[in-house]
Amino acid sequence: MVKIRATHEKDTREMRAIYGEALMKAAEKHKNLVAINCDLCSSMGLKSFVKAFPDRAINVGIQEANGCSMAGGMAAAGMLPFFNTFSVFASRRVYDQIFMCAAYPKLNVKIVGGDAGVTATSNGGTHMPFEDIGILRVMPGITIMEPSDGVMLDDLVEQMAETEGLQYLRFTRKQTEKIYEEGSHFEIGKAVVVREGKDATIITCGILVTEALKAAETLAAEGLDVRVVDMFTIKPIDAACILESVKATGALVVAENHQLIGGLASAVAEVLADNAIGVPMEKIGIRDEFGEVGDQAYLMERFQLTAPYIVEAVKKAVSKK
Amino acid sequence: MDFEKLTRLSADIRIWTIRTIAEAGFGHIGGSASIADVLAVLYGGMMKIDPENPKWEERDWFVLSKGHCAPALYAALALRGFFPMDWLKTLNKGGTNLPSHADRLRVPGVDMSTGSLGQGISAAVGIALANRMQGRNSWTYTIVGDGECNEGQVWEACEVATHQALDHLIVFVDWNKKQLDGTLEQISNPVDLAGKFAAFGFACETVPGYDVKAIWEAIERAKAAPGKPHCIVLDTIKGLGVKLAEVEDFNHYLTFDVAKGETSVEEIERRLAEGTYPGGDFKW
């Protein structure tokens, strides 16, 4: 059961702290859960986990390839490994390791990537994952998720521990706006309509859900009633929700903190194409560029990810109806 | 231990590897031949395994990090009864249970899928760690190729194995001196493989890789020495014991038919009979 908050103030807790606590709760329940990390305990919010479960926290040092393949071996031998590092290293650096030691042998490995998209901020272009969803989406059988707030993150971590199979979760380490009420429970693969509307649909995930909601409020004041969908599971994508939303609203904007090639917008477009649906569709996201340094506000403006850009995209889509 | 029996098993692994690859028409014969003896030791008595129950939790584990030499592993597993011998005739044919590279989902007795070099040893480190964390008294064995040691990930795995003091991990290096494109020295000289494993904190020794007694005794010594992971470098020859491969300089991957394969099978039996197995009059 999902409950959406009436107001969306900033969470007092960082996402990495929420992640670390969620992983500890899961570790209490699942005695075979191990947290593997690559010299990034602090950045990934695992310091408390290390104190609470010193024997189940494996810091392999700065060697993502070995750590990821080890996770596969540990899963084969009955453990429940969560492999933690920045999203760039959790995807492009260990792509073959995920393929060989988790996806191809169908092992129960969980990959968790921090600093999603522009939230890598001052680490800059080398550390800014705009391609992780795209390259992992073609991995057969993988589940890909990006939570939009701490309540969702907490719930998804619990479900990752409960669910068999290779999963990738990307998130920001920082605070987000609160979107959901405590105790909300999400179904992996089933999108959440966070705001109803009849004139257009914004499909988004992660930190852009907040931007989409702000955009919808602005548009409401201008007389446009916009639906906002939190597509927190990018694979398997909720095709039914996409098709129903498009049918109900007739115009679509997809907004993502990721390359437009291969990411959420591509996944949505594939669903539309597969179902022979022609609909005005605008996209907010990274347009075949690398990241760069800057604070999050700068980068969101630099890559045109903020609410005002979403407002314009919605108007453009609606104008093509 | 009856070492004559292990020697016979190593000959049978070579024979059925030849027949398996001959049925397919081509395959990785060179590196499969050079691991026949260590596989005979492991599957002929050293490993705690149950062919009736391949997933037995208390078993010893084996990862063929040089996954392209799966035909030799498949021969060993079939000879030990993990699956019917006639599966061996299906290698690489459409719909087979036996793909060219070791596959944990299709092959009973294969503990980890491998094929992308450098990763099997990491998986073995993970398995050894997981078994220790779960209180199992299991040994984890892995074979890495000498060419495979080009991969940086091999050395990452070694660092963690030592840091975690994984003394129930035994790594074999199939030091057969050749990789796909030529000799190790021609491609990217490893300088001193045994010295490198020792420098990474392993208890390391080098033994004749074609001598089942020497391999068996090296494993016994490793098992008796706690505190460090173990490396046993198998000093051997690529293609050893398989005449059709011995006579080729580039024997990583060869094409041959059943008739040609059977001449090498006959040569194995001849060498066994005259007491010159595995090498015969092959000069190295």
Side-chain angles (χ1 to χ4, degrees), chain B residues 9-48:
Chain B
L9 178 58
S10 79
D12 287 337
I13 290 171
R14 283 190 170 87
I15 287 167
W16 285 100
T17 300
I18 292 167
R19 288 175 173 160
T20 298
I21 294 175
E23 284 285 348
F26 46 85
H28 293 103
I29 186 66
S32 293
S34 57
I35 62 170
D37 307 289
V38 66
L39 288 174
V41 168
L42 293 174
Y43 287 94
M46 183 57 76
M47 281 175 68
K48 187 171 58 173

Side-chain angles (χ1 to χ4, degrees), chain A residues 75-115:
Chain A
M79 302 300 282
L80 174 57
F82 277 67
F83 175 73
N84 301 273
T85 183
F86 289 149
S87 293
V88 283
F89 307 133
S91 55
R92 64 175 204 237
R93 177 122 195 165
V94 295
Y95 196 70
D96 190 43
Q97 284 72 20
I98 296 174
F99 185 102
M100 279 305 303
C101 291
Y104 188 74
K106 295 189 176 168
L107 287 164
N108 192 23
V109 175
K110 316 298 173 181
I111 312 279
V112 179
D115 288 9

Side-chain angles (χ1 to χ4, degrees), chain A residues 4-8 179 181 217:
Chain A
I4 296 150
R5 292 173 63 92
T7 57
H8 303 301
I179 295 164
E181 296 282 6
E217 282 168 25

Side-chain angles (χ1 to χ4, degrees), chain A residues 204-241:
Chain A
T204 186
C205 63
I207 61 167
L208 294 196
V209 173
T210 300
E211 296 300 317
L213 286 168
K214 285 180 195 163
E217 282 168 25
T218 302
L219 289 160
E222 298 179 23
L224 276 177
D225 186 17
V226 178
R227 176 184 286 198
V228 177
V229 173
D230 185 347
M231 190 64 74
F232 67 92
T233 313
I234 296 107
K235 185 183 176 185
I237 200 157
D238 188 348
C241 177

Side-chain angles (χ1 to χ4, degrees), chain A residues 43-44 85-88 113-121 123 127-129 170-174:
Chain A
S43 306
M44 294 298 293
T85 183
F86 289 149
S87 293
V88 283
D115 288 9
V118 293
T119 73
T121 61
N123 272 332
H127 285 54
M128 201 161 284
R170 80 195 298 248
F171 73 116
T172 173
R173 74 168 90 170
K174 295 163 192 158

Side-chain angles (χ1 to χ4, degrees), chain A residues 22-39:
Chain A
L23 201 60
M24 284 194 285
K25 279 190 285 180
E28 286 288 353
K29 191 170 176 186
H30 301 274
K31 302 301 179 194
N32 61 342
L33 190 154
V34 287
I36 300 172
N37 91 90
C38 308
D39 201 29

Side-chain angles (χ1 to χ4, degrees), chain B residues 99-122:
Chain B
S100 58
H101 294 77
D103 191 321
R104 71 179 284 273
L105 296 176
R106 293 176 183 270
V107 191
V110 170
D111 289 324
M112 189 64 192
S113 302
T114 49
S116 182
L117 295 174
Q119 295 198 42
I121 184 173
S122 294

Side-chain angles (χ1 to χ4, degrees), chain A residues 219-293:
Chain A
L219 289 160
E222 298 179 23
L224 276 177
D225 186 17
V226 178
R227 176 184 286 198
V228 177
V229 173
D230 185 347
M231 190 64 74
F232 67 92
T233 313
I234 296 107
K235 185 183 176 185
I237 200 157
D238 188 348
C241 177
I242 295 168
L243 295 172
E244 193 280 323
S245 295
V246 166
K247 190 177 174 191
T249 65
L252 178 62
V253 171
V254 181
E256 61 183 316
N257 176 20
H258 182 274
Q259 272 265 22
L260 290 171
I261 300 169
L264 179 61
S266 294
V268 170
E270 287 161 16
V271 171
L272 298 175
D274 284 347
N275 289 276
I277 305 292
V279 64
M281 175 173 164
E282 295 297 320
K283 296 180 284 188
I284 295 285
I286 314 304
R287 297 182 181 274
D288 206 18
E289 283 190 273
F290 292 110
E292 61 188 55
V293 291

